[in-house]
Amino acid sequence: MTTTAIIPASEQGLSASLQAFFRSLLGLEEIRGLLVPLRSFVGTMPMPTLVTDTEMLFNAAPLSPVFPLSAARLAARLTRKPIGGKIAAFLRPCEIRAFIELVKLKQGRIEDIILIGIDCMGAVQNRDAKALNADNPLKYDDDFCKAMLTGSEALPDGMTLAAACRACEHPLPEGTDLAIHLLGADLQKGLPVVAGSETGEAILQKMDLSGADVPGERGAVVEAFIAERIAYRDRMFEDTAVAVESPVKLSRYFSACVNCYNCRVACPVCYCRECVFLTGAFDHEPHQYLRWAERKGSAKMPTDTVFYHLTRLAHMSTACVGCGQCSNACPNDIPVMELFRMVAHGTQQAFDYTAGRNIDDPPPLSVFRENEFQEVVGIK
């Protein structure tokens, strides 16, 4: 039977309730550290931080609308070899799914980590984050979360959620040991936390939290929340398909690319130790550039920008979790996420696969199915 407990409501707000929960969690003997977003200094972005001192958790920012980078690769890095104990990690749903993909790709291990997730209200782009440094950041985080739960976007200066978050159809934590509910919960009474594994069950028993039931209205609230995001996603896909429907339009789409490769660095599931684009493979001879220019009258510099993105699409579309960090990292605001999400959605549908949803689902192209895609290969 699934255990559901209640994290007591704090007079200081939702973030304070979660901070107290984290302190109790870190106080358990078997947990050596907690990976959690934390503001190291007042007025700074919350960054993924490995915490071993419970006092540091007064600076944890679990509900911040700022998402400077995905912590999935950090979680993989912490778990790739046994460390003689458990690490707990509080991650957004897209970070959890990215971590699960990395485990499938042998980049991390699931045995030594306790995954904790929460219903995600979304985040803003990095370029907007500095405007959110309120005098009382935790109160701002709480107010933002409550506003999103009631259907408004409490962001200053006309800012909105990042497009990746507005188009995210997976805002709930899946595959976790512990899942904290916001949608449909009576937050005046506290935050429901549900065990998703035997490990999670054991933890809740040790934390001696009061039992609770999942509110009956949660299902309807979740359904409406996701439906709004799917509608936005589908409109985004339609607009993107028109924007890249020809080679000329695709070149225009990436015309501002400077080959900085930030999107590759920021992508949590782009795991190659050496990327071909960082080798000398594309250091063309000087006369080649002139030859290209003479053939067409001009040659855009740097070259190979579209080829770079097409290569990434071919590599990553089966593993993309839609976190949006590629667009978040782009210095020229190219809508990288929109195209990657559109292609990844089609690729994953073709393979009946959702990246990171289930640890037991083998990644596409890693298994052979004799009767797969007969209409394409022409086998009868």
Side-chain angles (χ1 to χ4, degrees), residues 46-82:
M47 297 294 288
T49 306
L50 181 60
V51 180
T52 58
D53 183 349
T54 56
E55 291 299 307
M56 296 294 295
L57 291 170
F58 284 102
N59 295 323
L63 299 178
S64 174
V66 179
F67 186 27
L69 80 163
S70 173
R73 274 199 291 188
L74 303 178
R77 189 179 303 169
L78 289 168
T79 61
R80 64 187 183 90
K81 293 182 179 180

Side-chain angles (χ1 to χ4, degrees), residues 35-54:
L35 183 66
V36 65
L38 185 143
R39 291 184 178 92
S40 298
F41 303 95
V42 175
T44 60
M45 283 189 188
M47 297 294 288
T49 306
L50 181 60
V51 180
T52 58
D53 183 349
T54 56

Side-chain angles (χ1 to χ4, degrees), residues 1-245:
M1 181 177 177
T2 301
T3 298
T4 302
I6 195 81
I7 299 172
S10 169
E11 294 182 358
Q12 284 74 45
L14 295 175
S15 294
S17 299
L18 289 169
Q19 288 176 345
F21 174 73
F22 293 151
R23 288 194 295 274
S24 297
L25 186 70
L26 190 54
L28 298 179
E29 183 177 355
E30 66 268 34
I31 297 179
R32 298 190 60 184
L34 172 65
L35 183 66
V36 65
L38 185 143
R39 291 184 178 92
S40 298
F41 303 95
V42 175
T44 60
M45 283 189 188
M47 297 294 288
T49 306
L50 181 60
V51 180
T52 58
D53 183 349
T54 56
E55 291 299 307
M56 296 294 295
L57 291 170
F58 284 102
N59 295 323
L63 299 178
S64 174
V66 179
F67 186 27
L69 80 163
S70 173
R73 274 199 291 188
L74 303 178
R77 189 179 303 169
L78 289 168
T79 61
R80 64 187 183 90
K81 293 182 179 180
I83 57 172
K86 295 275 190 179
I87 294 289
F90 177 79
L91 304 173
R92 293 175 181 266
C94 61
E95 293 176 306
I96 293 167
R97 289 186 292 115
F99 172 73
I100 290 173
E101 280 299 295
L102 289 172
V103 171
K104 294 181 188 182
L105 295 166
K106 311 301 181 186
Q107 302 301 300
R109 299 167 66 255
I110 202 75
E111 291 81 4
D112 292 334
I113 193 168
I114 297 168
L115 292 174
I116 307 166
I118 192 169
D119 296 344
C120 185
M121 298 297 105
V124 300
Q125 293 290 95
N126 279 349
R127 63 175 178 270
D128 294 334
K130 291 182 180 179
L132 303 181
N133 289 330
D135 294 334
N136 187 341
L138 287 184
K139 182 179 184 303
Y140 182 88
D141 295 349
D142 288 359
D143 290 346
F144 163 80
C145 180
K146 292 175 182 177
M148 291 301 301
L149 288 169
T150 57
S152 63
E153 295 184 4
L155 297 171
D157 302 324
M159 291 188 297
T160 60
L161 290 181
C165 299
R166 298 179 72 186
C168 178
E169 69 269 53
H170 301 293
L172 307 185
E174 299 178 80
T176 57
D177 297 294
L178 296 172
I180 300 168
H181 291 179
L182 293 172
L183 293 165
D186 184 352
L187 300 180
Q188 298 296 322
K189 296 181 179 179
L191 292 89
V193 53
V194 180
S197 67
E198 292 183 0
T199 298
E201 299 261 1
I203 288 172
L204 290 184
Q205 291 176 7
K206 291 180 181 179
M207 295 184 75
D208 196 29
L209 297 172
S210 300
D213 295 320
V214 175
E217 62 271 20
R218 174 171 166 82
V221 173
V222 167
E223 185 177 353
F225 191 82
I226 294 176
E228 181 180 345
R229 279 149 179 74
I230 289 176
Y232 180 92
R233 179 204 69 188
D234 291 345
R235 293 193 300 271
M236 182 183 79
F237 287 172
E238 290 174 4
D239 294 341
T240 303
V242 172
V244 298
E245 63 184 358

Side-chain angles (χ1 to χ4, degrees), residues 232-376:
Y232 180 92
R233 179 204 69 188
D234 291 345
R235 293 193 300 271
M236 182 183 79
F237 287 172
E238 290 174 4
D239 294 341
T240 303
V242 172
V244 298
E245 63 184 358
S246 70
V248 171
K249 285 190 172 183
L250 182 63
S251 295
R252 182 183 298 128
Y253 196 86
F254 287 118
S255 60
C257 179
V258 295
N259 274 1
C260 67
Y261 305 140
N262 282 4
C263 52
R264 181 192 69 82
V265 174
C267 177
V269 291
C270 200
Y271 69 94
C272 293
R273 294 299 175 120
E274 184 178 32
C275 176
V276 65
F277 287 93
L278 297 182
T279 68
F282 297 95
D283 292 339
H284 305 294
E285 293 297 327
H287 67 82
Q288 183 67 64
Y289 297 107
L290 185 58
R291 187 177 304 163
W292 286 329
E294 289 174 341
R295 182 185 306 164
K296 296 184 178 181
S298 66
K300 176 189 172 292
M301 306 286 281
T303 58
D304 303 311
T305 53
V306 173
F307 184 55
Y308 160 71
H309 291 286
L310 291 177
T311 302
R312 277 219 342 117
L313 275 169
H315 283 183
M316 309 313 305
S317 63
T318 58
C320 175
V321 297
C323 66
Q325 288 299 336
C326 48
S327 285
N328 208 16
C330 180
N332 289 341
D333 294 332
I334 299 171
V336 184
M337 179 280 300
E338 284 84 340
L339 178 58
F340 270 68
R341 272 240 54 201
M342 182 187 75
V343 174
H345 181 74
T347 303
Q348 292 177 26
Q349 274 196 327
F351 286 100
D352 190 24
Y353 182 77
T354 300
R357 171 168 281 185
N358 191 329
I359 190 71
D360 296 320
D361 289 343
L365 307 181
S366 69
V367 292
F368 173 74
R369 297 174 184 170
E370 185 175 354
N371 296 321
E372 194 170 53
F373 296 119
Q374 293 187 25
E375 72 280 8
V376 177

